[in-house]
Amino acid sequence: MKAYKTRPAVRFLIRSAIVGIVYFLVLFPTQYLLPLMQGTEIRPAAFIPIVGGIVWGWPAALGVFLANLLSDFLIYPSPAALIGSIANGFAAICAHRCYFAVTRARE
């Protein structure tokens, strides 16, 4: 029996969707439960961009960016939501790059 292989673009989108959905499902309810001041909150989902970035890299960054953008725009639509979403995507990419730089240096 021949194994079914998906195309890289499909895998990219699936991984982005998985990380984005998990991030959104953890992030969105906590914005209502743990508000501090207008525009700030405690985010228990802060580990997801880092772990997703280490595991999947760019697909995780895209999923985190889109989920954070959607979540922030549903709560308080403002231009600051875009800046925060870019920062979370950047955090996923930084974690990916740092992890692989350290593991390659050890080899």
Side-chain angles (χ1 to χ4, degrees):
M1 178 183 252
K2 195 172 191 180
Y4 178 74
K5 291 188 176 185
T6 58
R7 289 186 257 166
V10 174
R11 284 193 305 256
F12 186 94
L13 291 175
I14 290 172
R15 290 174 180 172
S16 295
I18 290 170
V19 173
I21 290 169
V22 168
Y23 190 59
F24 181 79
L25 290 176
V26 174
L27 184 64
F28 190 68
T30 60
Q31 289 183 339
Y32 289 114
L33 297 175
L34 305 169
L36 296 176
M37 296 184 306
Q38 180 65 25
T40 63
E41 67 270 341
I42 296 173
R43 289 192 173 200
F47 72 94
I48 294 174
I50 306 302
V51 173
I54 289 171
V55 175
W56 283 333
W58 286 102
L62 178 65
V64 164
F65 170 76
L66 294 175
N68 191 34
L69 190 65
L70 178 65
S71 177
D72 285 351
F73 272 128
L74 289 176
I75 299 297
Y76 45 89
S78 72
L82 181 63
I83 295 168
S85 297
I86 292 170
N88 279 321
F90 185 70
I93 292 302
C94 285
H96 178 70
R97 295 288 183 184
C98 290
Y99 176 76
F100 282 104
V102 168
T103 56
R104 287 185 189 137
R106 290 183 183 172
E107 291 177 356

